[in-house]
Amino acid sequence: GAVVSQHPSRVICKSGTSVKIECRSLDFQATTMFWYRQFPKQSLMLMATSNEGSKATYEQGVEKDKFLINHASLTLSTLTVTSAHPEDSSFYICSAPDFSSSTDTQYFGPGTRLTVL
Amino acid sequence: ELKVEQNPLFLSMQEGKNYTIYCNYSTTSDRLYWYRQDPGKSLESLFVLLSNGAVKQEGRLMASLDTKARLSTLHITAAVHDLSATYFCAVVPLTGNQFYFGTGTSLTVIP
């Protein structure tokens, strides 16, 4: 089946630094990818839709200048958390739909756990 | 505002018992997905429901979709400890491709 990878799986950084998270579709092309954030014991909240070759679409309440998204190729989207603060500590998950499948299902990456000290 | 609510949020049940988790949503949709998440892990796809009246079964789990009632159910039959996890439903509105997740149901099966 389709596979989506994320890197890194865990990252610990100091407050004020920027962190880049990569999301790759390994065996299919993804013109669209989604980024989610999940706080402990909570649901996944959609942050933004990453579109290959164009600007990302952000959900209401998500700061586009703080969470920079770049979808430079059909297999790679990156999320950069700029000037990270402790409240940005969370589990970040990306997903990519495989529109070639009959079910338009989403394939989820393994997630990146960000801890900001 | 699109809402996807699950009931119950927490469920503790004994092995061998049956129970149903409910997923209500507030938008028009004909695509609903169920996922399982183990602690510290990402999501595992369980079911894809793409039409009104759709019913899917896998092992001890069965999912159904009623698009008119905007309701999906996940039925657990004769629960076993291995089913302990958090279960999420996710809805895709007719007008987009974004997945909107339910509040989640944390299931604990007690031996």
Side-chain angles (χ1 to χ4, degrees):
Chain A
V3 176
V4 174
S5 71
Q6 277 183 247
H7 178 79
S9 57
R10 289 178 178 271
V11 58
I12 301 173
C13 69
K14 292 182 179 180
S15 185
T17 61
S18 295
V19 175
K20 180 185 285 188
I21 303 170
E22 293 185 348
C23 177
R24 294 181 185 272
S25 58
L26 297 184
D27 51 3
F28 67 101
Q29 293 183 334
T31 56
T32 300
M33 291 184 177
F34 299 101
W35 286 97
Y36 299 86
R37 179 168 53 182
Q38 185 180 33
F39 292 109
K41 300 191 184 299
Q42 294 189 23
S43 186
L44 280 75
M45 298 301 297
L46 178 65
M47 298 175 66
T49 303
S50 174
N51 304 298
E52 189 269 335
S54 65
K55 291 183 179 180
T57 305
Y58 291 83
E59 294 296 302
Q60 193 172 9
V62 178
E63 299 176 59
K64 62 180 180 180
D65 294 331
K66 180 169 183 63
F67 299 100
L68 301 180
I69 291 173
N70 187 306
H71 196 146
S73 77
L74 288 172
T75 59
L76 173 64
S77 174
T78 60
L79 168 68
T80 301
V81 183
T82 62
S83 188
H85 288 93
E87 57 265 31
D88 297 323
S89 298
S90 187
F91 193 46
Y92 292 86
I93 303 175
C94 70
S95 72
D98 183 2
F99 294 120
S100 66
S101 75
S102 60
T103 57
D104 287 352
T105 196
Q106 294 267 353
Y107 296 98
F108 287 85
T112 297
R113 186 161 304 281
L114 170 64
T115 303
V116 185
L117 302 176
Chain B
E1 180 188 351
L2 193 157
K3 290 186 178 180
V4 185
E5 297 180 336
Q6 287 179 234
N7 180 35
L9 298 182
F10 299 94
L11 175 58
S12 180
M13 55 190 299
Q14 286 188 315
E15 279 191 331
K17 298 293 186 182
N18 305 330
Y19 208 84
T20 300
I21 299 170
Y22 298 89
C23 172
N24 289 91
Y25 53 96
S26 64
T27 188
T28 304
S29 170
D30 59 359
R31 285 193 284 167
L32 189 133
Y33 301 77
W34 282 95
Y35 293 91
R36 167 182 173 145
Q37 185 179 39
D38 291 296
K41 305 290 186 181
S42 190
L43 301 178
E44 174 190 350
S45 178
L46 295 176
F47 298 106
V48 179
L49 303 169
L50 298 178
S51 62
N52 185 41
V55 177
K56 296 275 184 77
Q57 183 166 3
E58 181 72 33
R60 301 175 187 273
L61 301 178
M62 183 173 69
S64 66
L65 177 61
D66 182 343
T67 58
K68 293 181 181 178
R70 298 183 179 179
L71 170 68
S72 179
T73 62
L74 179 66
H75 187 73
I76 303 159
T77 302
V80 292
H81 181 67
D82 287 350
L83 290 179
S84 297
T86 299
Y87 293 84
F88 291 99
C89 62
V91 168
V92 180
L94 280 181
T95 56
N97 286 313
Q98 299 92 334
F99 277 42
Y100 291 94
F101 282 83
T103 45
T105 296
S106 177
L107 170 65
T108 302
V109 180
I110 304 168

